[in-house]
């Protein structure tokens, strides 16, 4: 393992610890007005991770979760047990010696199984556009 990879992993672990603290706080006050403070901090920390460690495999999992939370403020819709499931998942990921593509895919599927929509930004096709082309 080279120095650069070690620094990335340490930085990723430190950011993850911050994310875990916010998830634990969000879990404990889910449904209460104070939850918005933790959600805001959590989303900012996730974006910080994306900016600092864009190619770190773990970042892909964090950003899938970010999308599920940020889209239309869906963080409000999730409950304490779902947030606890996220804490367990993230803890298990950072405890792995290495995170590969298979680990990332499994983690994102686990998020989906917990009820998080990790692909909320769907594309809707306007079929009327195709009809207009046919009439020209």
């Amino acid at each position: 393992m080279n120095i650069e990879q070690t620094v990335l992993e340490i930085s990723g672990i430190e950011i993850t610890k911050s994310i875990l603290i916010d998830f634990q706080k969000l879990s404990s006050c889910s449904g209460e007005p104070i939850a918005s403070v933790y959600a805001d901090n959590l989303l900012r920390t996730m974006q910080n991770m994306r900016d600092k460690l864009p190619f770190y495999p773990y970042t892909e999992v964090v950003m899938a979760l970010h999308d599920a939370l940020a889209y239309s403020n869906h963080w409000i819709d999730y409950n304490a047990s779902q947030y606890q499931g996220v804490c367990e998942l993230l803890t298990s990921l950072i405890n792995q010696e290495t995170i590969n593509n298979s680990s990332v895919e499994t983690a994102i599927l686990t998020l989906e199984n917990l009820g998080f929509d990790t692909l909320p930004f769907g594309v809707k096709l306007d079929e009327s556009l195709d009809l207009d082309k046919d009439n020209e």
Side-chain angles (χ1 to χ4, degrees):
M1 182 181 297
N2 62 33
I3 296 290
E4 184 179 334
Q5 185 178 0
T6 303
V7 169
L8 282 176
E9 287 180 10
I10 291 170
S11 182
I13 290 171
E14 291 306 312
I15 293 172
T16 300
K17 286 179 183 177
S18 176
I19 288 171
L20 282 170
I21 290 169
D22 284 331
F23 266 116
Q24 290 165 345
K25 290 177 181 177
L26 194 55
S27 174
S28 68
C29 65
S30 143
E32 298 175 24
I34 190 71
S36 64
V37 173
Y38 301 121
D40 180 60
N41 193 53
L42 177 63
L43 294 171
R44 289 176 193 269
T45 303
M46 293 169 132
Q47 291 168 342
N48 185 31
M49 181 175 219
R50 177 202 60 209
D51 295 344
K52 288 186 174 184
L53 303 168
F55 303 109
Y56 188 52
Y58 181 75
T59 302
E60 189 174 343
V61 176
V62 170
M63 291 316 298
L65 185 54
H66 173 276
D67 291 349
L69 298 172
Y71 183 74
S72 297
N73 287 322
H74 280 299
W75 63 267
I76 295 169
D77 300 329
Y78 301 114
N79 61 45
S81 65
Q82 288 172 299
Y83 288 131
Q84 192 56 42
V86 168
C87 288
E88 292 168 10
L89 171 66
L90 296 181
T91 300
S92 74
L93 274 178
I94 61 169
N95 287 333
Q96 289 182 15
E97 191 170 316
T98 59
I99 300 171
N100 56 30
N101 287 339
S102 178
S103 300
V104 169
E105 291 170 12
T106 301
I108 292 173
L109 287 175
T110 300
L111 291 173
E112 288 284 337
N113 290 336
L114 286 169
F116 292 91
D117 181 6
T118 60
L119 296 171
F121 305 103
V123 176
K124 293 184 180 179
L125 299 176
D126 187 353
E127 292 181 23
S128 67
L129 294 176
D130 290 335
L131 294 174
D132 290 342
K133 280 185 178 179
D134 293 338
N135 292 334
E136 290 179 358

